[in-house]
Amino acid sequence: MTLRTLDTLGSLAGRRVVVRCDLNVPLKDGTITDDGRIRASLPTLNRLLDAGATVTVVSHLGRPDGAPDERYSLRPVAARLGELLGREVGFGPEAAGDVVVRENLRFDPRETSKDAGERRAYAEEIAAGADAFVSDGFGVVHRKQASVYELAQVLPSAAGLLIAGELGVLERLTRDPAKPYTVVLGGSKVSDKLGVIDHLLPRVDSLLIGGGMLFTFLAAAGHPVGKSLLEADQIPVVRDYLTRAEQLGVRIVVPTDVVVAAAFAADADHETVAADAIESTRFGADAIGLDIGPDTAESFARAITGSRTVFWNGPMGVFEFPVFAAGTKRVAEALTEVDGLSVVGGGDSAAAVRTLGFGEDRFGHISTGGGASLEFLEGKRLPGLEVLGWEAES
Ligand code: ADP
Ligand code: MG
């Protein structure tokens, strides 16, 4: 079975369509700091509106505790969506009109309930009065939640353009990718990302390790890492990957130099040091590695630009602090120079390329779903795609 796309819903003129988007944008004091996910939802919404449908947009935002919480209201998101669509957008249960945004789905505990019956009941409430459902929140397709899974069973349903596009790109990364194929991993969710290595090892030529996960690799090689991010319990797993990579002829590239700091802070005293001598600076065993070093950044950039397929997930350093953003910036720049397919996955990685000033169109694809794209690349089953007819190749 293949993914049911929008055309399978037939004529939508005059019909009310519920659209599940992923509008989980970062907010600071009620202001949206990166509207990438709202922009990503526009093609599907415009397509439906052009077809004469009226649209109810549903989404989650953050992790409220299953109860209303103003800090996680979608009201500012609805306002921004109105600006981007260039039309009136209603908000809340009383609103009417061509486009209405419902309040945060997770204000109701049934959205993420473990109980299928509760989720089903919530889905039926969301579906009330609607004729069709379009699932377009790629960032949540790995979750069995009411608005992702049950809602697609309650109404005639199909995938939106965002999900269809994301899936197309991810399939190119797993089926017959053009070689050389390089995967760059970083960020702070170390154990989450190790699973991807497991599945991708037999498929890639090079694996570049940066960000918070590099320290678990250094520790696996017997090097001290000071107070850097370390998942000590993952060291045996990493050692196993290193052995398997050698057997498969895959190059795992671990940094040769690192930027270490006296503290985890934007203005921390810092210096560049050889990766096997992290505790040798004046910070001693208190040193915290916050970025890959310049030599490493250059060698990563060379490996990336020499590849035909590149997938990058996870910042190379704490890019939120400008002095520790250089490694991430160099890697992002290299991705823009790839003669082939370059894909950025991960919420923070996508935010990094935007805040560092790289235009989105300079990359082959920027995925809106961090966890979902990782689980896809891990070869896991994604309930939110399967319910739309998609099946992984076995
Ligand atoms: P993504 O959302 O792209 O999948 P993650 O959520 O795994 O990425 O990680 C992003 C975070 O990783 C960023 O906030 C960044 O500051 C952090 N990070 C990167 N390098 C380090 C490091 N050396 N130490 C601690 N945190 C790091
Ligand atoms: Mg993240």
Side-chain angles (χ1 to χ4, degrees):
M1 286 273 284
T2 50
L3 194 72
R4 291 193 300 279
T5 48
L6 287 179
D7 45 296
T8 65
L9 292 174
S11 168
L12 294 171
R15 295 170 77 197
R16 179 155 285 276
V17 180
V18 178
V19 186
R20 175 42 157 122
C21 296
D22 174 8
L23 303 179
N24 184 27
V25 293
L27 287 170
K28 199 170 184 187
D29 307 321
T31 304
I32 298 163
T33 56
D34 179 11
D35 65 3
R37 285 182 167 164
I38 308 178
R39 291 176 184 275
S41 71
L42 298 177
T44 296
L45 298 179
N46 279 320
R47 170 76 66 93
L48 295 171
L49 291 165
D50 289 347
T54 52
V55 169
T56 301
V57 179
V58 297
S59 176
H60 73 291
L61 178 72
R63 294 175 184 267
D65 215 6
D69 181 338
E70 238 349 89
R71 289 173 300 166
Y72 300 108
S73 174
L74 278 166
R75 186 180 294 281
V77 172
R80 182 73 187 128
L81 180 63
E83 287 168 17
L84 291 169
L85 283 173
R87 353 171 137 231
E88 197 76 31
V89 169
F91 178 71
E94 309 299 323
D98 287 349
V99 189
V100 170
V101 175
R102 264 183 74 126
E103 185 52 289
N104 193 339
L105 290 164
R106 292 190 189 165
F107 284 0
D108 189 310
R110 293 175 296 173
E111 168 67 359
T112 57
S113 172
K114 296 250 182 300
D115 182 313
E118 284 182 11
R119 293 198 307 265
R120 173 88 184 194
Y122 191 39
E124 281 169 359
E125 262 177 51
I126 300 168
D131 304 299
F133 172 58
V134 170
S135 184
D136 212 26
F138 181 70
V140 285
V141 293
H142 57 317
R143 307 276 188 222
K144 210 175 220 182
Q145 296 177 343
S147 67
V148 179
Y149 191 72
E150 280 78 13
L151 188 51
Q153 297 173 320
V154 168
L155 287 170
S157 60
L161 302 173
L162 178 63
I163 285 190
E166 293 269 10
L167 191 58
V169 172
L170 290 173
E171 285 185 325
R172 282 174 67 192
L173 290 176
T174 42
R175 268 188 219 157
D176 249 344
K179 300 241 167 189
Y181 182 8
T182 296
V183 169
V184 192
L185 291 177
S188 55
K189 295 178 192 156
V190 180
S191 32
D192 281 12
K193 296 185 182 186
L194 290 173
V196 192
I197 299 183
D198 193 42
H199 196 69
L200 287 179
L201 261 189
R203 296 175 164 78
V204 304
D205 300 297
S206 303
L207 191 57
L208 315 182
I209 307 292
M213 65 187 330
L214 78 90
F215 305 100
T216 306
F217 279 77
L218 290 178
H223 304 307
V225 299
K227 292 225 168 77
S228 308
L229 192 68
L230 172 67
E231 292 198 14
D233 59 330
Q234 297 294 326
I235 289 175
V237 177
V238 165
R239 289 205 174 118
D240 172 58
Y241 291 157
L242 293 168
T243 311
R244 277 179 48 211
E246 203 172 313
Q247 288 161 353
L248 291 164
V250 173
R251 222 160 57 97
I252 293 189
V253 189
V254 180
T256 52
D257 60 346
V258 176
V259 181
V260 296
F264 191 94
D267 57 355
D269 205 1
H270 57 277
E271 99 179 46
T272 300
V273 67
D276 59 3
I278 284 182
E279 296 186 357
S280 71
T281 70
R282 62 187 184 282
F283 317 131
D286 288 335
I288 309 176
L290 294 184
D291 196 8
I292 56 173
D295 290 351
T296 301
E298 279 316 309
S299 81
F300 280 16
R302 268 196 306 277
I304 291 165
T305 52
S307 300
R308 288 278 159 149
T309 307
V310 181
F311 173 69
W312 171 35
N313 174 286
M316 295 293 98
V318 183
F319 72 95
E320 295 91 339
F321 302 151
V323 281
F324 305 113
T328 303
K329 199 165 186 174
R330 188 71 192 93
V331 160
E333 187 180 39
L335 258 91
T336 68
E337 291 161 8
V338 172
D339 180 14
L341 176 65
S342 61
V343 180
V344 182
D348 293 287
S349 310
V353 304
R354 286 192 284 263
T355 52
L356 295 173
F358 293 94
E360 290 191 30
D361 53 355
R362 295 176 65 191
F363 301 90
H365 180 72
I366 299 184
S367 176
T368 50
S373 48
L374 285 179
E375 290 200 13
F376 183 94
L377 294 175
E378 276 175 65
K380 287 193 182 158
R381 304 180 60 166
L382 304 181
L385 293 181
E386 291 187 348
V387 76
L388 302 173
W390 182 79
E391 248 173 69
E393 265 179 72
S394 45

